[in-house]
Amino acid sequence: MSATTRTLTLTDNETGKSMELPVLSGTIGPDVVDVRKVYGELGYFTYDPGYGSTGSCSSKITYIDGEEGILQYRGYPIQQLAESSNFLEVAYLILWGELPTQAEYDKFQYSISHHTLLNEQIITFFRGFRRDSHPMAVMCGVVGALSAFYHDHLDMSDPEDRRIASYRLISKMPTIAAHAYKYSQGQPFVYPKNDYGYTENLLHMTFATPCEDYKVTKVQAKALDRLFLLHADHEQNASTSTVRLAGSSGANPFACIAAGIASLWGPAHGGANEAVLTMLNEIGTKDHIPEYIKRAKDHDDPFRLMGFGHRVYKNYDPRAKIIQESCYEVLDELGMHDDPLLQLAMELERIALEDDYFISHKLYPNVDFYSGIIYRAMGFPPSMFTALFATARTVGWIAQWGEMLTDPEARIGRPRQLFTGAAERNYTPIDKR
Ligand code: SDX
């Protein structure tokens, strides 16, 4: 980040007081106006509900251009990474800023694959949940509880402790997600295999049983690996901002990631992938699509087209395009190329993208529109979709958390407000009200 010679002049037309606001530039993307001194000099807070126009930090991890539909991890276009890389290599890139050498990759892969087991005591922790608990409720609880088990390396000022906690989380999330599924099915937990790949292991722990191994096909493992790669990070979205805000108080990384999981669960955010399947099942057949498009445009109707629209992308979400292509591969391999749900989704997309409302509002399919169709084809129930998203996004969350802790500008997050409540008034005893 660099200060420019440019400034913006802010003048109070009542008092005539004014100040120069410094303009700061990054590598690429919009410049920012530094408003940190506005309150001190002019007595005003800035106001931006939902932070749609506010930069909360500087970051080197992910760049998004919503108008152009661009997504880059550490400068590498998502299309190139999806084509040529894999989730663990991208995880290393997001965490450390550079693509690994073979030796660095092998060491990272070994470390991640050899920390997948949970402390056996945690297994009993699962048993406190109802069998029909939503997997995201279980993920929130179990991940938050990890700090009760892994408190041997929690000095967050120590880079090695931060690395250990980060690797533990990345390693253990697939195990926790798979155990949450098994618990919901009343099936015994299946333990990780250290010689399996990251997503291959998740499929194994989810669908194998002690009575029968699960044959993970290359297409499935590759498709899930690519989905995880695409979900790994996404700049300062709601759940990542939640992790940063929680971490800014010095909270331990397990508690911060649990907070991120909670935020991601919302249907406006990562919960949308499950909501898309619910919506498609509710629409049922193509002839019902116009009715639902009409509802989505009616502001008096709370119904929204799930998997459509984005706070940043006002163009096609580049991830959605790549996921749609993976849909064909997985469904073809499973002999489901005529999957009615995929056909319905494609028709819904076609109609929506021709509709003036969606065009004028720049509403395109986002990352959640097609991902659920692949997850479902692999055998995951819709309730597991966001747990899979959380597992993949843990890499981004923990990288952003680590970046925040090492940012010299970082301080505890403490937004202000525009107070619109009651002015000062005196207490009246209850018999006088
Ligand atoms: C993710 O931020 C990230 O990076 C998130 C994410 C990541 O990787 O971390 O990309 C993952 O969360 C993707 C988004 C998944 N959510 C959904 O698919 C849920 C459906 N989408 C909407 O709820 C909505 O589009 C949001 C929440 C995603 C974005 O909301 P915004 O930017 O706050 O937009 P808005 O609610 O102010 O809507 C602007 C206009 C409104 O109409 P007007 O009042 O201006 O006339 O667009 C309309 C909205 O009614 N609109 C929709 C719509 N989304 C917005 N109308 C119908 N269907 C929709 N899906």
Side-chain angles (χ1 to χ4, degrees):
M1 170 173 59
S2 58
T4 68
T5 52
R6 284 164 56 201
T7 61
L8 292 192
T9 304
L10 191 58
T11 302
D12 184 336
N13 63 5
E14 280 198 357
T15 64
K17 279 185 75 176
S18 71
M19 68 179 290
E20 295 302 311
L21 299 177
V23 172
L24 308 176
S25 281
T27 313
I28 187 173
D31 289 344
V32 297
V33 179
D34 187 340
V35 295
R36 281 175 283 190
K37 292 185 175 164
V38 169
Y39 179 64
E41 292 198 21
L42 295 182
Y44 292 99
F45 292 146
T46 59
Y47 187 63
D48 182 17
Y51 313 112
S53 303
T54 296
S56 61
C57 62
S58 64
S59 178
K60 298 178 179 0
I61 298 174
T62 293
Y63 174 69
I64 299 171
D65 179 327
E67 299 304 324
E68 300 301 319
I70 289 172
L71 168 58
Q72 296 169 356
Y73 294 154
R74 300 285 189 178
Y76 294 96
I78 195 70
Q79 294 84 351
Q80 291 183 27
L81 294 171
E83 181 61 36
S84 310
S85 186
N86 64 63
F87 175 69
L88 269 192
E89 183 177 72
V90 163
Y92 184 98
L93 171 67
I94 288 173
L95 279 168
W96 301 113
E98 297 297 337
L99 289 168
T101 62
Q102 187 64 56
E104 289 166 335
Y105 178 78
D106 293 345
K107 186 177 173 199
F108 180 65
Q109 196 273 336
Y110 182 88
S111 182
I112 295 298
S113 60
H114 286 73
H115 287 87
T116 49
L117 275 176
L118 294 174
N119 179 307
E120 198 62 14
Q121 277 294 102
I122 294 176
I123 304 300
T124 49
F125 195 88
F126 281 85
R127 303 209 188 290
F129 290 97
R130 286 172 45 133
R131 288 284 179 181
D132 61 354
S133 303
H134 194 290
M136 286 297 279
V138 177
M139 298 279 284
C140 281
V142 173
V143 173
L146 291 180
S147 47
F149 291 86
Y150 299 112
H151 38 62
D152 52 345
H153 290 283
L154 282 182
D155 172 3
M156 293 305 105
S157 64
D158 176 351
E160 183 57 6
D161 273 16
R162 292 200 299 270
R163 184 196 65 75
I164 290 169
S166 302
Y167 283 23
R168 274 176 166 158
L169 277 157
I170 295 168
S171 301
K172 298 179 192 308
M173 284 296 276
T175 308
I176 295 168
H179 284 6
Y181 171 74
K182 282 304 200 191
Y183 187 71
S184 73
Q185 301 300 304
Q187 290 183 6
F189 293 151
V190 173
Y191 284 76
K193 287 183 181 285
N194 290 351
D195 56 343
Y196 276 29
Y198 193 82
T199 47
E200 184 186 11
N201 222 347
L202 173 55
L203 289 162
H204 157 69
M205 291 186 280
T206 304
F207 297 119
T209 70
C211 326
E212 189 175 343
D213 248 351
Y214 176 78
K215 176 91 186 72
V216 179
T217 69
K218 287 212 177 316
V219 168
Q220 279 179 309
K222 173 72 186 157
L224 192 57
D225 190 86
R226 181 177 290 173
L227 279 167
F228 273 36
L229 183 158
L230 294 168
H231 283 79
D233 191 54
H234 210 241
E235 201 211 68
Q236 306 310 319
N237 58 81
S239 52
T240 298
S241 298
T242 300
V243 171
R244 278 180 171 260
L245 199 55
S248 71
S249 73
N252 74 70
F254 304 104
C256 296
I257 298 303
I261 294 170
S263 171
L264 185 75
W265 192 2
H269 192 10
N273 53 19
E274 178 180 357
V276 166
L277 256 292
T278 305
M279 175 187 71
L280 291 174
N281 286 321
E282 187 184 325
I283 294 173
T285 51
K286 291 181 183 178
D287 58 318
H288 292 150
I289 290 176
E291 172 205 338
Y292 281 86
I293 294 280
K294 184 164 174 282
R295 285 185 58 195
K297 301 190 302 191
D298 176 358
H299 286 89
D300 296 326
D301 187 328
F303 174 79
R304 284 198 164 180
L305 219 47
M306 302 316 281
F308 264 77
H310 198 277
R311 170 62 57 80
V312 173
Y313 287 125
K314 301 308 171 192
N315 195 321
Y316 213 100
D317 183 332
R319 301 167 296 176
K321 218 179 272 295
I322 297 168
I323 292 172
Q324 188 191 46
E325 288 154 16
S326 292
C327 261
Y328 292 122
E329 287 170 25
V330 173
L331 294 175
D332 254 349
E333 200 233 9
L334 296 172
M336 296 167 67
H337 36 267
D338 297 330
D339 177 46
L341 224 51
L342 175 61
Q343 302 306 320
L344 182 65
M346 303 274 289
E347 180 64 4
L348 177 59
E349 175 191 352
R350 186 188 65 76
I351 296 173
L353 295 188
E354 289 173 356
D355 184 285
D356 290 342
Y357 176 90
F358 287 84
I359 293 167
S360 63
H361 283 76
K362 299 184 178 179
L363 300 174
Y364 294 89
N366 59 49
V367 68
D368 292 307
F369 188 62
Y370 285 106
S371 52
I373 293 171
I374 299 181
Y375 291 143
R376 168 183 161 271
M378 289 181 183
F380 292 103
S383 62
M384 276 296 290
F385 294 177
T386 311
L388 296 169
F389 191 156
T391 301
R393 182 56 59 85
T394 295
V395 167
W397 286 333
I398 206 66
Q400 298 268 357
W401 166 83
E403 183 178 64
M404 178 211 44
L405 286 181
T406 52
D407 180 345
E409 290 197 310
R411 47 204 297 235
I412 189 166
R414 180 43 173 103
R416 302 306 303 272
Q417 62 177 13
L418 175 68
F419 182 71
T420 57
E424 185 176 335
R425 50 186 171 164
N426 297 317
Y427 179 81
T428 48
I430 194 164
D431 58 359
K432 295 279 187 296
R433 290 176 205 156

